[in-house]
Amino acid sequence: MTLEMELPGPDVPEGPGDDSGGSGEGERRGRRARRRPRWFVITVSVVLGLLAVAVLTPLTVAWRVWYQARQDERPRSDAIIVLGAAQYNGVPSPTLQWRLQHALNLYRDGVAPVIVTVGGKQPGDNYTEADSGKRWLVDRGGVPADRVVSVPVGADTLESMKAVGAEYRRRGWRTGVIVTDPWHGLRSKRMASDNGIEAASSPTRSGPSVQTRDTQFHYIVRETGGYLSYVLFGKSVAVPSETIVTTPGQ
């Protein structure tokens, strides 16, 4: 009888398809080691999301300010609302006079049967912005006195809109066309809406806020901040710088 014995052969390296999993398991362990912790991924995602909101929200509002400034909305309404600006002892400042003239043009075009003038007075003043505006419309514009309603309240837009809203409710009015500077249109419409007025905006095209690209950029930035301040905190910003004048020629 012949006995055959199987002698061990030389060692053969394991191929990539070998089931032993030596090198494959090592690669998987390496990938797991390189994977970010879950808390890290969540934290980064939240931070990036907040940064996106912080950047995109002001940019969106700035675009809306810019877009609204270029609209001239003049639907048939219950009244034309002229927002106040500085006056000099009863004489409207150039800024206020431009607004009054624009409101007068709208009135003559039949946009509304009544003009509402708005605005209080600074400490030491003898006249309010609203009464100075009414006098100009009646004496210079020829508007019948009973067609001009003076609301002599407010040191800023929010106070004025609250007072106008109360006057609207008292008279049973609903709609209005706001006359102010172009960049102020979006914020004033929002405040009017929050006080029960269905408002449109027909801005004046004269004044410091539309003179150069630099001034336009300044007012867009300012109104973006003002709008966000109102929407987020319910606060109004300071009176525009071109209205803070006490004597003509300054």
Side-chain angles (χ1 to χ4, degrees), residues 102-143:
H102 188 67
L104 180 61
N105 295 340
L106 295 177
Y107 173 82
R108 289 171 175 171
D109 289 342
V111 171
V114 177
I115 301 176
V116 177
T117 57
V118 189
K121 61 182 179 179
Q122 300 296 322
D125 285 350
N126 296 318
Y127 299 89
T128 64
E129 296 167 357
D131 290 336
S132 299
K134 178 173 182 176
R135 179 184 291 107
W136 188 95
L137 288 167
V138 173
D139 295 345
R140 298 279 300 275
V143 181

mmCIF file of all heavy atoms in Angstrom, residues 102-143:
data_model
loop_
_atom_site.group_PDB
_atom_site.id
_atom_site.type_symbol
_atom_site.label_atom_id
_atom_site.label_comp_id
_atom_site.label_asym_id
_atom_site.label_seq_id
_atom_site.Cartn_x
_atom_site.Cartn_y
_atom_site.Cartn_z
ATOM 1 N N HIS A 102 -46.891 117.290 -3.788
ATOM 2 C CA HIS A 102 -47.229 116.000 -4.398
ATOM 3 C C HIS A 102 -48.634 115.571 -3.988
ATOM 4 O O HIS A 102 -49.418 115.072 -4.820
ATOM 5 C CB HIS A 102 -46.212 114.943 -3.989
ATOM 6 C CG HIS A 102 -46.374 113.645 -4.705
ATOM 7 N ND1 HIS A 102 -46.145 113.498 -6.056
ATOM 8 C CD2 HIS A 102 -46.766 112.416 -4.267
ATOM 9 C CE1 HIS A 102 -46.377 112.251 -6.424
ATOM 10 N NE2 HIS A 102 -46.755 111.573 -5.341
ATOM 11 N N ALA A 103 -48.968 115.754 -2.718
ATOM 12 C CA ALA A 103 -50.320 115.427 -2.253
ATOM 13 C C ALA A 103 -51.359 116.295 -2.956
ATOM 14 O O ALA A 103 -52.451 115.811 -3.311
ATOM 15 C CB ALA A 103 -50.406 115.620 -0.738
ATOM 16 N N LEU A 104 -51.037 117.562 -3.166
ATOM 17 C CA LEU A 104 -51.949 118.455 -3.878
ATOM 18 C C LEU A 104 -52.188 117.962 -5.301
ATOM 19 O O LEU A 104 -53.329 117.984 -5.798
ATOM 20 C CB LEU A 104 -51.372 119.876 -3.879
ATOM 21 C CG LEU A 104 -52.188 120.955 -4.590
ATOM 22 C CD1 LEU A 104 -53.563 121.106 -3.948
ATOM 23 C CD2 LEU A 104 -51.433 122.289 -4.569
ATOM 24 N N ASN A 105 -51.127 117.514 -5.959
ATOM 25 C CA ASN A 105 -51.282 116.982 -7.321
ATOM 26 C C ASN A 105 -52.182 115.745 -7.330
ATOM 27 O O ASN A 105 -53.027 115.581 -8.225
ATOM 28 C CB ASN A 105 -49.911 116.631 -7.907
ATOM 29 C CG ASN A 105 -49.028 117.849 -8.104
ATOM 30 O OD1 ASN A 105 -49.512 118.977 -8.160
ATOM 31 N ND2 ASN A 105 -47.728 117.637 -8.185
ATOM 32 N N LEU A 106 -52.013 114.873 -6.349
ATOM 33 C CA LEU A 106 -52.862 113.689 -6.257
ATOM 34 C C LEU A 106 -54.313 114.081 -6.005
ATOM 35 O O LEU A 106 -55.239 113.491 -6.587
ATOM 36 C CB LEU A 106 -52.372 112.772 -5.135
ATOM 37 C CG LEU A 106 -50.993 112.128 -5.305
ATOM 38 C CD1 LEU A 106 -50.631 111.316 -4.054
ATOM 39 C CD2 LEU A 106 -50.942 111.232 -6.529
ATOM 40 N N TYR A 107 -54.513 115.065 -5.147
ATOM 41 C CA TYR A 107 -55.869 115.543 -4.852
ATOM 42 C C TYR A 107 -56.526 116.093 -6.110
ATOM 43 O O TYR A 107 -57.696 115.792 -6.398
ATOM 44 C CB TYR A 107 -55.796 116.605 -3.751
ATOM 45 C CG TYR A 107 -57.098 117.303 -3.471
ATOM 46 C CD1 TYR A 107 -58.057 116.723 -2.647
ATOM 47 C CD2 TYR A 107 -57.359 118.574 -4.019
ATOM 48 C CE1 TYR A 107 -59.257 117.385 -2.387
ATOM 49 C CE2 TYR A 107 -58.549 119.233 -3.761
ATOM 50 C CZ TYR A 107 -59.502 118.627 -2.945
ATOM 51 O OH TYR A 107 -60.691 119.284 -2.693
ATOM 52 N N ARG A 108 -55.786 116.891 -6.856
ATOM 53 C CA ARG A 108 -56.340 117.463 -8.086
ATOM 54 C C ARG A 108 -56.611 116.393 -9.141
ATOM 55 O O ARG A 108 -57.488 116.569 -9.997
ATOM 56 C CB ARG A 108 -55.376 118.518 -8.634
ATOM 57 C CG ARG A 108 -55.327 119.795 -7.782
ATOM 58 C CD ARG A 108 -54.219 120.720 -8.233
ATOM 59 N NE ARG A 108 -54.247 121.989 -7.490
ATOM 60 C CZ ARG A 108 -53.293 122.919 -7.565
ATOM 61 N NH1 ARG A 108 -52.213 122.708 -8.329
ATOM 62 N NH2 ARG A 108 -53.400 124.028 -6.865
ATOM 63 N N ASP A 109 -55.867 115.294 -9.080
ATOM 64 C CA ASP A 109 -56.093 114.185 -10.013
ATOM 65 C C ASP A 109 -57.240 113.284 -9.586
ATOM 66 O O ASP A 109 -57.547 112.301 -10.273
ATOM 67 C CB ASP A 109 -54.817 113.334 -10.144
ATOM 68 C CG ASP A 109 -53.713 114.049 -10.915
ATOM 69 O OD1 ASP A 109 -54.023 115.034 -11.626
ATOM 70 O OD2 ASP A 109 -52.546 113.626 -10.803
ATOM 71 N N GLY A 110 -57.859 113.603 -8.468
ATOM 72 C CA GLY A 110 -59.018 112.839 -8.028
ATOM 73 C C GLY A 110 -58.698 111.542 -7.310
ATOM 74 O O GLY A 110 -59.561 110.661 -7.209
ATOM 75 N N VAL A 111 -57.466 111.400 -6.796
ATOM 76 C CA VAL A 111 -57.095 110.165 -6.104
ATOM 77 C C VAL A 111 -57.903 109.996 -4.816
ATOM 78 O O VAL A 111 -58.304 108.883 -4.462
ATOM 79 C CB VAL A 111 -55.581 110.155 -5.815
ATOM 80 C CG1 VAL A 111 -55.200 108.986 -4.900
ATOM 81 C CG2 VAL A 111 -54.796 110.070 -7.119
ATOM 82 N N ALA A 112 -58.162 111.087 -4.116
ATOM 83 C CA ALA A 112 -58.935 111.027 -2.877
ATOM 84 C C ALA A 112 -59.584 112.385 -2.638
ATOM 85 O O ALA A 112 -59.058 113.421 -3.078
ATOM 86 C CB ALA A 112 -58.049 110.641 -1.692
ATOM 87 N N PRO A 113 -60.726 112.419 -1.936
ATOM 88 C CA PRO A 113 -61.431 113.682 -1.694
ATOM 89 C C PRO A 113 -60.902 114.466 -0.500
ATOM 90 O O PRO A 113 -61.318 115.602 -0.270
ATOM 91 C CB PRO A 113 -62.871 113.231 -1.444
ATOM 92 C CG PRO A 113 -62.719 111.866 -0.840
ATOM 93 C CD PRO A 113 -61.516 111.251 -1.495
ATOM 94 N N VAL A 114 -59.985 113.870 0.274
ATOM 95 C CA VAL A 114 -59.500 114.498 1.505
ATOM 96 C C VAL A 114 -57.993 114.311 1.607
ATOM 97 O O VAL A 114 -57.452 113.282 1.186
ATOM 98 C CB VAL A 114 -60.188 113.881 2.751
ATOM 99 C CG1 VAL A 114 -59.625 114.485 4.033
ATOM 100 C CG2 VAL A 114 -61.687 114.066 2.687
ATOM 101 N N ILE A 115 -57.316 115.320 2.160
ATOM 102 C CA ILE A 115 -55.888 115.205 2.469
ATOM 103 C C ILE A 115 -55.726 115.256 3.983
ATOM 104 O O ILE A 115 -56.289 116.134 4.654
ATOM 105 C CB ILE A 115 -55.078 116.349 1.835
ATOM 106 C CG1 ILE A 115 -55.245 116.351 0.310
ATOM 107 C CG2 ILE A 115 -53.598 116.213 2.189
ATOM 108 C CD1 ILE A 115 -54.556 117.503 -0.379
ATOM 109 N N VAL A 116 -54.958 114.306 4.522
ATOM 110 C CA VAL A 116 -54.664 114.277 5.954
ATOM 111 C C VAL A 116 -53.215 114.707 6.154
ATOM 112 O O VAL A 116 -52.291 114.097 5.602
ATOM 113 C CB VAL A 116 -54.860 112.861 6.536
ATOM 114 C CG1 VAL A 116 -54.481 112.833 8.016
ATOM 115 C CG2 VAL A 116 -56.308 112.411 6.354
ATOM 116 N N THR A 117 -53.017 115.767 6.933
ATOM 117 C CA THR A 117 -51.660 116.194 7.281
ATOM 118 C C THR A 117 -51.340 115.695 8.687
ATOM 119 O O THR A 117 -52.195 115.704 9.575
ATOM 120 C CB THR A 117 -51.513 117.721 7.218
ATOM 121 O OG1 THR A 117 -52.493 118.326 8.090
ATOM 122 C CG2 THR A 117 -51.739 118.219 5.799
ATOM 123 N N VAL A 118 -50.090 115.258 8.869
ATOM 124 C CA VAL A 118 -49.726 114.562 10.105
ATOM 125 C C VAL A 118 -48.451 115.168 10.690
ATOM 126 O O VAL A 118 -47.584 115.638 9.948
ATOM 127 C CB VAL A 118 -49.490 113.059 9.826
ATOM 128 C CG1 VAL A 118 -49.338 112.295 11.140
ATOM 129 C CG2 VAL A 118 -50.611 112.475 9.002
ATOM 130 N N GLY A 119 -48.332 115.120 12.005
ATOM 131 C CA GLY A 119 -47.072 115.486 12.650
ATOM 132 C C GLY A 119 -47.239 116.470 13.778
ATOM 133 O O GLY A 119 -47.997 117.438 13.668
ATOM 134 N N GLY A 120 -46.502 116.238 14.865
ATOM 135 C CA GLY A 120 -46.540 117.135 16.006
ATOM 136 C C GLY A 120 -45.538 118.261 15.870
ATOM 137 O O GLY A 120 -45.251 118.727 14.768
ATOM 138 N N LYS A 121 -44.972 118.689 16.997
ATOM 139 C CA LYS A 121 -44.005 119.778 16.975
ATOM 140 C C LYS A 121 -42.872 119.476 17.922
ATOM 141 O O LYS A 121 -43.004 118.716 18.883
ATOM 142 C CB LYS A 121 -44.673 121.104 17.352
ATOM 143 C CG LYS A 121 -45.281 121.140 18.752
ATOM 144 C CD LYS A 121 -45.955 122.489 19.003
ATOM 145 C CE LYS A 121 -46.590 122.533 20.400
ATOM 146 N NZ LYS A 121 -47.219 123.856 20.648
ATOM 147 N N GLN A 122 -41.728 120.076 17.623
ATOM 148 C CA GLN A 122 -40.558 119.934 18.473
ATOM 149 C C GLN A 122 -40.671 120.898 19.664
ATOM 150 O O GLN A 122 -41.411 121.878 19.613
ATOM 151 C CB GLN A 122 -39.291 120.240 17.667
ATOM 152 C CG GLN A 122 -39.085 119.337 16.469
ATOM 153 C CD GLN A 122 -38.881 117.896 16.840
ATOM 154 O OE1 GLN A 122 -38.220 117.585 17.836
ATOM 155 N NE2 GLN A 122 -39.454 116.989 16.049
ATOM 156 N N PRO A 123 -39.948 120.622 20.749
ATOM 157 C CA PRO A 123 -39.979 121.535 21.902
ATOM 158 C C PRO A 123 -39.610 122.960 21.491
ATOM 159 O O PRO A 123 -38.625 123.189 20.789
ATOM 160 C CB PRO A 123 -38.929 120.941 22.847
ATOM 161 C CG PRO A 123 -38.878 119.490 22.488
ATOM 162 C CD PRO A 123 -39.113 119.427 21.016
ATOM 163 N N GLY A 124 -40.416 123.915 21.905
ATOM 164 C CA GLY A 124 -40.178 125.314 21.581
ATOM 165 C C GLY A 124 -40.877 125.803 20.336
ATOM 166 O O GLY A 124 -40.932 127.014 20.093
ATOM 167 N N ASP A 125 -41.420 124.886 19.516
ATOM 168 C CA ASP A 125 -42.130 125.284 18.305
ATOM 169 C C ASP A 125 -43.502 125.860 18.660
ATOM 170 O O ASP A 125 -44.141 125.446 19.639
ATOM 171 C CB ASP A 125 -42.327 124.094 17.365
ATOM 172 C CG ASP A 125 -41.042 123.705 16.655
ATOM 173 O OD1 ASP A 125 -40.062 124.480 16.746
ATOM 174 O OD2 ASP A 125 -41.023 122.638 16.026
ATOM 175 N N ASN A 126 -43.967 126.791 17.851
ATOM 176 C CA ASN A 126 -45.300 127.373 18.023
ATOM 177 C C ASN A 126 -46.346 126.668 17.172
ATOM 178 O O ASN A 126 -47.546 126.810 17.421
ATOM 179 C CB ASN A 126 -45.278 128.858 17.680
ATOM 180 C CG ASN A 126 -44.399 129.668 18.610
ATOM 181 O OD1 ASN A 126 -44.406 129.451 19.830
ATOM 182 N ND2 ASN A 126 -43.626 130.597 18.057
ATOM 183 N N TYR A 127 -45.891 125.953 16.160
ATOM 184 C CA TYR A 127 -46.809 125.303 15.229
ATOM 185 C C TYR A 127 -46.447 123.828 15.092
ATOM 186 O O TYR A 127 -45.290 123.451 15.226
ATOM 187 C CB TYR A 127 -46.744 125.965 13.849
ATOM 188 C CG TYR A 127 -47.133 127.422 13.836
ATOM 189 C CD1 TYR A 127 -46.183 128.421 14.060
ATOM 190 C CD2 TYR A 127 -48.449 127.813 13.609
ATOM 191 C CE1 TYR A 127 -46.528 129.758 14.056
ATOM 192 C CE2 TYR A 127 -48.813 129.158 13.604
ATOM 193 C CZ TYR A 127 -47.852 130.127 13.826
ATOM 194 O OH TYR A 127 -48.201 131.458 13.826
ATOM 195 N N THR A 128 -47.446 123.038 14.796
ATOM 196 C CA THR A 128 -47.210 121.626 14.505
ATOM 197 C C THR A 128 -46.974 121.446 13.004
ATOM 198 O O THR A 128 -47.344 122.302 12.193
ATOM 199 C CB THR A 128 -48.412 120.757 14.913
ATOM 200 O OG1 THR A 128 -49.552 121.124 14.122
ATOM 201 C CG2 THR A 128 -48.730 120.931 16.385
ATOM 202 N N GLU A 129 -46.361 120.331 12.650
ATOM 203 C CA GLU A 129 -46.150 120.011 11.241
ATOM 204 C C GLU A 129 -47.486 119.844 10.522
ATOM 205 O O GLU A 129 -47.650 120.279 9.368
ATOM 206 C CB GLU A 129 -45.320 118.731 11.132
ATOM 207 C CG GLU A 129 -43.911 118.883 11.696
ATOM 208 C CD GLU A 129 -43.207 117.549 11.885
ATOM 209 O OE1 GLU A 129 -43.841 116.495 11.621
ATOM 210 O OE2 GLU A 129 -42.024 117.554 12.290
ATOM 211 N N ALA A 130 -48.444 119.209 11.204
ATOM 212 C CA ALA A 130 -49.751 118.979 10.590
ATOM 213 C C ALA A 130 -50.473 120.292 10.301
ATOM 214 O O ALA A 130 -51.025 120.486 9.203
ATOM 215 C CB ALA A 130 -50.602 118.095 11.493
ATOM 216 N N ASP A 131 -50.481 121.213 11.267
ATOM 217 C CA ASP A 131 -51.185 122.487 11.062
ATOM 218 C C ASP A 131 -50.472 123.358 10.030
ATOM 219 O O ASP A 131 -51.126 124.062 9.249
ATOM 220 C CB ASP A 131 -51.314 123.236 12.393
ATOM 221 C CG ASP A 131 -52.284 122.553 13.344
ATOM 222 O OD1 ASP A 131 -53.166 121.811 12.859
ATOM 223 O OD2 ASP A 131 -52.157 122.742 14.571
ATOM 224 N N SER A 132 -49.145 123.313 10.015
ATOM 225 C CA SER A 132 -48.405 124.070 8.994
ATOM 226 C C SER A 132 -48.724 123.525 7.608
ATOM 227 O O SER A 132 -48.891 124.298 6.652
ATOM 228 C CB SER A 132 -46.898 123.971 9.259
ATOM 229 O OG SER A 132 -46.562 124.519 10.517
ATOM 230 N N GLY A 133 -48.821 122.204 7.494
ATOM 231 C CA GLY A 133 -49.173 121.609 6.213
ATOM 232 C C GLY A 133 -50.577 121.962 5.779
ATOM 233 O O GLY A 133 -50.820 122.253 4.598
ATOM 234 N N LYS A 134 -51.515 121.945 6.707
ATOM 235 C CA LYS A 134 -52.897 122.302 6.356
ATOM 236 C C LYS A 134 -52.979 123.751 5.889
ATOM 237 O O LYS A 134 -53.643 124.046 4.884
ATOM 238 C CB LYS A 134 -53.815 122.081 7.558
ATOM 239 C CG LYS A 134 -55.267 122.474 7.264
ATOM 240 C CD LYS A 134 -56.199 122.094 8.402
ATOM 241 C CE LYS A 134 -57.645 122.460 8.030
ATOM 242 N NZ LYS A 134 -58.613 122.020 9.071
ATOM 243 N N ARG A 135 -52.304 124.652 6.595
ATOM 244 C CA ARG A 135 -52.341 126.053 6.194
ATOM 245 C C ARG A 135 -51.791 126.229 4.776
ATOM 246 O O ARG A 135 -52.348 126.973 3.969
ATOM 247 C CB ARG A 135 -51.536 126.897 7.189
ATOM 248 C CG ARG A 135 -51.517 128.385 6.805
ATOM 249 C CD ARG A 135 -50.646 129.224 7.712
ATOM 250 N NE ARG A 135 -51.214 129.326 9.040
ATOM 251 C CZ ARG A 135 -50.737 128.698 10.114
ATOM 252 N NH1 ARG A 135 -49.681 127.910 10.006
ATOM 253 N NH2 ARG A 135 -51.313 128.846 11.277
ATOM 254 N N TRP A 136 -50.700 125.536 4.455
ATOM 255 C CA TRP A 136 -50.110 125.648 3.113
ATOM 256 C C TRP A 136 -51.075 125.136 2.054
ATOM 257 O O TRP A 136 -51.245 125.767 1.003
ATOM 258 C CB TRP A 136 -48.804 124.866 3.061
ATOM 259 C CG TRP A 136 -48.008 125.069 1.803
ATOM 260 C CD1 TRP A 136 -46.991 125.960 1.598
ATOM 261 C CD2 TRP A 136 -48.175 124.357 0.568
ATOM 262 N NE1 TRP A 136 -46.517 125.863 0.319
ATOM 263 C CE2 TRP A 136 -47.223 124.881 -0.346
ATOM 264 C CE3 TRP A 136 -49.008 123.345 0.144
ATOM 265 C CZ2 TRP A 136 -47.102 124.420 -1.653
ATOM 266 C CZ3 TRP A 136 -48.898 122.881 -1.166
ATOM 267 C CH2 TRP A 136 -47.952 123.414 -2.051
ATOM 268 N N LEU A 137 -51.718 124.013 2.307
ATOM 269 C CA LEU A 137 -52.646 123.450 1.328
ATOM 270 C C LEU A 137 -53.848 124.356 1.101
ATOM 271 O O LEU A 137 -54.326 124.495 -0.033
ATOM 272 C CB LEU A 137 -53.120 122.067 1.792
ATOM 273 C CG LEU A 137 -52.086 120.940 1.707
ATOM 274 C CD1 LEU A 137 -52.571 119.718 2.472
ATOM 275 C CD2 LEU A 137 -51.797 120.585 0.256
ATOM 276 N N VAL A 138 -54.326 124.975 2.154
ATOM 277 C CA VAL A 138 -55.495 125.844 2.029
ATOM 278 C C VAL A 138 -55.112 127.182 1.406
ATOM 279 O O VAL A 138 -55.746 127.648 0.442
ATOM 280 C CB VAL A 138 -56.162 126.051 3.409
ATOM 281 C CG1 VAL A 138 -57.277 127.088 3.318
ATOM 282 C CG2 VAL A 138 -56.717 124.724 3.932
ATOM 283 N N ASP A 139 -54.053 127.824 1.930
ATOM 284 C CA ASP A 139 -53.680 129.161 1.461
ATOM 285 C C ASP A 139 -52.969 129.136 0.118
ATOM 286 O O ASP A 139 -53.253 129.968 -0.756
ATOM 287 C CB ASP A 139 -52.774 129.850 2.499
ATOM 288 C CG ASP A 139 -53.501 130.102 3.806
ATOM 289 O OD1 ASP A 139 -54.745 130.024 3.825
ATOM 290 O OD2 ASP A 139 -52.823 130.347 4.830
ATOM 291 N N ARG A 140 -52.041 128.214 -0.069
ATOM 292 C CA ARG A 140 -51.254 128.163 -1.295
ATOM 293 C C ARG A 140 -51.850 127.215 -2.341
ATOM 294 O O ARG A 140 -51.744 127.463 -3.547
ATOM 295 C CB ARG A 140 -49.824 127.725 -0.968
ATOM 296 C CG ARG A 140 -49.073 128.680 -0.047
ATOM 297 C CD ARG A 140 -48.516 129.868 -0.809
ATOM 298 N NE ARG A 140 -47.590 129.437 -1.845
ATOM 299 C CZ ARG A 140 -46.289 129.196 -1.637
ATOM 300 N NH1 ARG A 140 -45.785 129.330 -0.413
ATOM 301 N NH2 ARG A 140 -45.504 128.828 -2.633
ATOM 302 N N GLY A 141 -52.452 126.142 -1.872
ATOM 303 C CA GLY A 141 -52.973 125.149 -2.808
ATOM 304 C C GLY A 141 -54.425 125.323 -3.178
ATOM 305 O O GLY A 141 -54.892 124.687 -4.133
ATOM 306 N N GLY A 142 -55.143 126.157 -2.433
ATOM 307 C CA GLY A 142 -56.543 126.379 -2.759
ATOM 308 C C GLY A 142 -57.469 125.235 -2.400
ATOM 309 O O GLY A 142 -58.598 125.160 -2.910
ATOM 310 N N VAL A 143 -57.043 124.362 -1.515
ATOM 311 C CA VAL A 143 -57.899 123.245 -1.102
ATOM 312 C C VAL A 143 -58.879 123.758 -0.047
ATOM 313 O O VAL A 143 -58.487 124.451 0.889
ATOM 314 C CB VAL A 143 -57.053 122.094 -0.522
ATOM 315 C CG1 VAL A 143 -57.953 120.920 -0.116
ATOM 316 C CG2 VAL A 143 -55.997 121.642 -1.525
#
